[in-house]
Amino acid sequence: MVNKHRPLSPADYVPADLVQPSVALAVSGEAAQLNSTTAAAAEQMFAAAAQDGVTMTLASGYRSYGTQVATYNGYVAARGQAEADTASARPGFSEHQTGWAFDIGDGGGACGFQPCFAEQPAAVWAKANGHRFGFVVRYPWMLHEITGYYYESWHLRFIGVEAATDMSAKGIATLEEYFGLEAAPGYL
Ligand SMILES: [Zn+2]
């Protein structure tokens, strides 16, 4: 469980079982990797989406501590720290570093990583069906005061089929609420 109150420990943690899933890739290198459990679940989900006629690509998976340092520092240099903190996790605080999370795309549409992605078939399908494969949309609409992030319709987190299905059935939208953890709107 990683959020703005709960960094990875150690900060430069590396999953021991990173693999490249057999799915449509929109990236290469480390970003095309996930931990082995998440990779297997992603393969099932992408295949099910394809059977429903929905194109889904892996747009960004694992991100190492070193990559996050470069990404975050780039935002800070361009926009200052306050704006950087709304756009990018600080190093050691990104769910992408766990191997349990990834971003989806839809194969080249103009809405990749944009608000309008929420209306694209891949996001609509993932929101409705992700729980069947153990995934939740980690940063839902208008719950940034709990999660610390504005809506990211493309960012999925694996928590297992049982928990994801339970969350869906109970209508609980965030992991903070589901696990009874404090809201984490910003860094401490
Ligand atoms: Zn993401």
Side-chain angles (χ1 to χ4, degrees), residues 15-35:
D17 60 341
L18 289 171
V19 296
Q20 184 171 299
S22 296
V23 300
L25 299 172
V27 283
S28 59
E30 70 173 33
Q33 296 183 318
L34 303 168
N35 73 35

Side-chain angles (χ1 to χ4, degrees), residues 60-61 63 94-96 101-103 113 139 152 154-156:
S60 185
R63 199 176 303 145
S94 174
E95 240 185 14
H96 284 272
F102 58 87
D103 303 319
F113 297 100
Y139 307 123
E152 292 191 6
W154 52 87
H155 181 104
L156 306 181

Side-chain angles (χ1 to χ4, degrees), residues 32-59:
Q33 296 183 318
L34 303 168
N35 73 35
S36 59
T37 303
T38 304
E43 288 171 356
Q44 292 189 3
M45 182 177 73
F46 280 53
Q51 283 196 331
D52 286 349
V54 173
T55 299
M56 194 176 282
T57 63
L58 176 58

Side-chain angles (χ1 to χ4, degrees), residues 98-182:
T98 69
W100 295 112
F102 58 87
D103 303 319
I104 58 169
D106 61 3
C111 287
F113 297 100
Q114 301 298 317
C116 59
F117 189 71
E119 283 82 52
Q120 303 307 306
V124 172
W125 191 96
K127 185 178 180 183
N129 296 283
H131 65 93
R132 294 164 45 206
F133 306 90
F135 292 101
V136 297
V137 177
R138 177 69 179 93
Y139 307 123
W141 172 246
M142 291 302 285
L143 292 172
H144 54 277
E145 290 294 340
I146 297 173
T147 66
Y149 294 89
Y150 289 99
Y151 188 29
E152 292 191 6
S153 62
W154 52 87
H155 181 104
L156 306 181
R157 160 75 199 252
F158 183 83
I159 61 169
V161 172
E162 188 177 343
T165 301
D166 189 41
M167 266 182 77
S168 177
K170 290 176 174 167
I172 298 174
T174 70
L175 294 188
E176 284 78 9
E177 293 167 292
Y178 186 63
F179 293 128
L181 302 171
E182 65 192 14

